[in-house]
Amino acid sequence: HALTAKNDADNLVELIPSLPVEKRLVIPSPDLQRRQYRGYWFPEWHLSALAAARDHFEPMPTDIFLVSCPKSGTTWLKSLAFATVHRDVHPPSSREHPLLHKNPHGCVRFIHAIYRQPVDVTRGILEAYPSPRIFGTHFPLSLLPERINGDGCGCRIVYICRDPKDVVVSWWWFMRTYLPNPEQVRFEEVFDLFCEGRTGAGPYWRHALEHWEESRRRPGKVLFLRYEEMLLDPQCNLRRLAEFLGCAFSEAEEKAGVLDAILELCSLDKLKKLEVNQSGNKIKDGDEPMMNHSFFRKGESGDWINHMTAEMAARLDAIVEHALQGTGFRF
Ligand code: A3P
């Protein structure tokens, strides 16, 4: 636990320019150049935001953190958690439901996006935030302020992981949607970067392992979910999520179809077709320059087979296996 114990100690802002840098595939914008901090690669500005969060963020015991590497099912998890936790205020079948009118990333904000803003804007966002507060983050627990993950704090953490081979395919497609000429990015380039652990929040396996271990150490505070299992049995996994978050579905709710209505509302098909997710742009909310539609593609498990040679798959598998050796964790 050495990392967690010291994670507020260094002066991150001063440190950033001297950290190892990665300039390949900085898409969509050059300010996404990555730096390696305590073993993880993050866009520079995410690290500045992390520094601000360390200085200013005051967690509440009821806070919920959804932690993930990009392309692991973050958008889905945000939707499910939001719809579940706030179902009394926003019934899932309501035509006014926020998820019908806002991208999931607008309903559950990223810590890095909130703390990118000037202090007064950040304060305004947090004051208007519905309670209990749900935040998304790609920062692993070992980098987040100690106040969030210390033993004395009540915050609950949900992690989602996915087969790394599907994650790298998803990354590739995501990057391509931001380019005027998608052919500009070859799959091999993204694959190499991913294998080197240098895509955002990477190395992927290290990120997942950290949270798997944390979920074993503190099962009441850290829930570890898998994208593939959620696809296979969404009901069971949503029940687990609700129980963990302290708002289990009652028998009456299940009978009334509330759980199924949430799954339907948060399904890829439903969200993808919404006007806001076809045309919207997150930048309108003062957020990152991200296009809403770029978060929705196929949502399948095993799509890697259509993009990777057997050699590539074997190479990535070997890297992951080597990194996880002796840990007991498997994707
Ligand atoms: P694919 O590119 O494999 O289709 P993230 O949200 O972490 O950025 O991950 C994006 C991946 O999750 C994409 O995977 C996307 O299609 C999938 N996804 C987005 N919304 C989803 C949903 N509601 N249900 C299932 N998968 C979803």
Side-chain angles (χ1 to χ4, degrees):
H1 239 216
L3 278 180
T4 319
K6 285 194 279 140
N7 73 2
D8 293 348
D10 52 29
N11 190 337
L12 182 52
V13 172
E14 278 176 22
L15 207 61
I16 292 173
S18 66
L19 295 171
V21 66
E22 173 54 65
K23 298 184 181 193
R24 280 175 291 168
L25 295 173
V26 285
I27 297 166
S29 64
D31 72 342
L32 288 175
Q33 113 175 340
R34 291 167 219 105
R35 298 273 182 181
Q36 187 185 33
Y37 177 57
R38 301 211 182 165
Y40 289 104
W41 290 92
F42 277 98
E44 257 174 19
W45 74 263
H46 286 217
L47 293 176
S48 317
L50 175 62
R54 283 181 180 178
D55 287 346
H56 302 293
F57 184 72
E58 295 291 345
M60 297 182 182
T62 49
D63 284 348
I64 296 163
F65 291 85
L66 309 179
V67 187
S68 64
C69 277
K71 308 301 127 210
S72 305
T74 318
T75 314
W76 194 14
L77 178 59
K78 281 187 173 186
S79 315
L80 290 171
F82 182 88
T84 301
V85 167
H86 298 301
R87 66 188 186 269
D88 288 343
V89 190
H90 304 294
S93 46
S94 156
R95 295 178 66 181
E96 308 302 319
H97 199 285
L99 282 167
L100 298 176
H101 305 283
K102 259 198 222 178
N103 179 269
H105 297 286
C107 295
V108 174
R109 307 286 297 266
F110 280 118
I111 289 287
H112 64 257
I114 295 177
Y115 281 92
R116 182 187 210 180
Q117 321 283 339
V119 178
D120 53 328
V121 178
T122 299
R123 197 177 306 126
I125 294 173
L126 291 177
E127 277 168 11
Y129 222 79
S131 175
R133 306 187 301 180
I134 313 174
F135 300 105
T137 177
H138 296 317
F139 299 124
L141 281 177
S142 59
L143 297 190
L144 283 170
E146 218 175 303
R147 304 185 288 286
I148 293 174
N149 57 24
D151 282 335
C153 171
C155 303
R156 274 180 270 223
I157 290 133
V158 183
Y159 191 80
I160 183 162
C161 90
R162 189 179 185 189
D163 180 340
K165 297 197 285 304
D166 284 332
V167 172
V168 66
V169 169
S170 191
W171 259 116
W172 175 58
W173 181 84
F174 181 77
M175 286 180 181
R176 284 161 53 102
T177 59
Y178 286 91
L179 297 173
N181 171 15
E183 305 309 316
Q184 244 172 291
V185 186
R186 287 181 311 114
F187 178 66
E188 288 75 8
E189 286 178 76
V190 182
F191 182 79
D192 282 344
L193 198 70
F194 188 83
C195 285
E196 290 170 43
R198 287 170 171 239
T199 43
Y204 191 82
W205 37 95
R206 178 180 169 148
H207 203 282
L209 173 64
E210 177 182 327
H211 298 87
W212 179 79
E213 287 181 335
E214 201 61 24
S215 74
R216 311 242 307 179
R217 244 193 310 267
R218 300 190 294 145
K221 293 291 178 212
V222 184
L223 176 69
F224 193 87
L225 296 175
R226 293 172 184 265
Y227 186 82
E228 293 76 15
E229 286 178 1
M230 288 173 54
L231 285 179
L232 278 177
D233 195 343
Q235 274 90 358
C236 165
N237 281 282
L238 183 54
R239 252 177 236 126
R240 275 179 77 201
L241 177 67
E243 266 163 39
F244 174 79
L245 295 178
C247 54
F249 294 100
S250 67
E251 230 172 87
E253 279 184 306
E254 291 236 7
K255 271 203 188 117
V258 176
L259 181 141
D260 288 329
I262 290 178
L263 287 172
E264 160 68 17
L265 172 67
C266 300
S267 70
L268 179 62
D269 274 356
K270 175 83 180 184
L271 293 178
K272 193 176 179 169
K273 286 185 189 138
L274 296 172
E275 163 73 19
V276 63
N277 291 329
Q278 298 209 340
S279 57
N281 190 332
K282 284 217 297 160
I283 204 170
K284 280 192 205 136
D285 305 327
D287 216 327
E288 302 164 70
M290 295 284 182
M291 298 179 295
N292 288 347
H293 73 83
S294 68
F295 293 94
F296 308 95
R297 191 182 66 110
K298 264 189 173 180
E300 289 172 3
S301 120
D303 187 40
W304 60 268
I305 206 111
N306 301 310
H307 299 277
M308 241 178 244
T309 62
E311 290 74 28
M312 290 167 104
R315 179 180 152 204
L316 180 49
D317 283 344
I319 291 171
V320 171
E321 203 182 308
H322 179 74
L324 300 181
Q325 220 164 24
T327 63
F329 174 58
R330 289 275 163 278
F331 281 101

